[in-house]
Amino acid sequence: MKSLLSGALVALSFFSVSALADDAEALKTKLAGLESFKAAFTQSVTDENGEVVHKATGNLTMARPDKLRWETQSPDETVLIADGSAVWHIDEWVEQVTVMSQAQAIDNNPMVLLTSNDDATWQQYTVNATQPNTFSVAAKAEGGQIRTLSLSFDDKGLANLVMLDSQGQQSAINFSQREFNTPIFPSAFIADVPESFMVDDQRP
């Protein structure tokens, strides 16, 4: 009886691993055809009790591999640019720029899969299809700022993201005015820093 139970557990474990691998491949396939993506977004952040603590609107531009531009228009004007080697956070209100290495900024961050084609990077995350066209992604290693990332797709492509962070806050991001695989000028991923801004360069 004990050997039968052990055999069943091994079979179940193998099935679970295979299913997760299939889910990862399904998500990778969906994102593989996404060479570039532009959209307007609305963001709503809720705390552990479901209370809304922050709302924002802006625009997202991304290109594979490894490039992202996140512009917030309200309530404050900020720009975050990942150029492939560094991440630049430009805060217009306080006239300050923070720069860090991109490898450091995306460590254990499931968002990296949106722009990464690297198989070794994908192997650092667990992907689970929670419902048709919706995938939950989590880093295998502990210590990341984002616990889980949920990506949902419709007939056109990526439709929304939901992030649960290490503090228990949930950020729901919905996209509109979506453009898939349209040409994007390289200048979109170059940080234009005014000379008057203070620069905090945290790169090693």
Side-chain angles (χ1 to χ4, degrees):
M1 180 67 179
K2 185 176 181 180
S3 61
L4 287 174
L5 180 58
S6 299
L9 290 174
V10 170
L12 181 60
S13 174
F14 177 78
F15 176 78
S16 299
V17 171
S18 298
L20 290 175
D22 289 344
D23 290 345
E25 285 302 317
L27 177 58
K28 187 182 292 187
T29 298
K30 281 186 175 293
L31 292 174
L34 189 63
E35 294 299 324
S36 69
F37 178 61
K38 295 177 65 176
F41 71 81
T42 59
Q43 178 182 24
S44 180
V45 182
T46 55
D47 63 16
E48 294 176 296
N49 299 316
E51 297 291 330
V52 176
V53 295
H54 179 72
K55 286 189 174 184
T57 61
N59 295 287
L60 167 70
T61 304
M62 56 165 272
R64 295 168 70 91
D66 306 326
K67 290 183 172 60
L68 180 90
R69 182 185 184 95
W70 182 278
E71 292 184 79
T72 301
Q73 296 173 335
S74 69
D76 300 307
E77 292 186 9
T78 62
V79 180
L80 185 145
I81 296 174
D83 64 14
S85 62
V87 173
W88 304 71
H89 183 263
I90 305 169
D91 192 322
E92 300 282 349
W93 178 253
V94 296
E95 297 187 351
Q96 179 173 321
V97 180
T98 302
V99 191
M100 63 182 66
S101 74
Q102 191 157 325
Q104 173 189 358
I106 64 175
D107 188 34
N108 294 332
N109 188 330
M111 284 284 287
V112 68
L113 299 190
L114 285 174
T115 60
S116 177
N117 295 324
D118 181 52
D119 287 338
T121 299
W122 276 78
Q123 291 173 6
Q124 297 173 31
Y125 298 88
T126 299
V127 179
N128 185 25
T130 55
Q131 54 183 294
N133 294 317
T134 299
F135 299 84
S136 178
V137 184
K140 293 178 181 178
E142 297 181 354
Q145 291 186 349
I146 298 179
R147 290 182 189 170
T148 60
L149 169 67
S150 178
L151 303 92
S152 295
F153 299 80
D154 59 17
D155 292 340
K156 293 182 178 179
L158 184 64
N160 62 68
L161 307 173
V162 178
M163 293 180 288
L164 179 65
D165 69 19
S166 59
Q167 305 301 315
Q169 291 189 335
Q170 181 173 282
S171 179
I173 301 165
N174 293 305
F175 297 117
S176 61
Q177 304 173 38
R178 295 173 295 167
E179 298 180 21
F180 299 93
N181 299 330
T182 57
I184 297 175
F185 291 110
S187 58
F189 307 110
I190 297 175
D192 184 13
V193 181
E195 292 184 2
S196 60
F197 280 31
M198 183 177 70
V199 178
D200 177 17
D201 195 335
Q202 300 179 5
R203 288 173 291 185

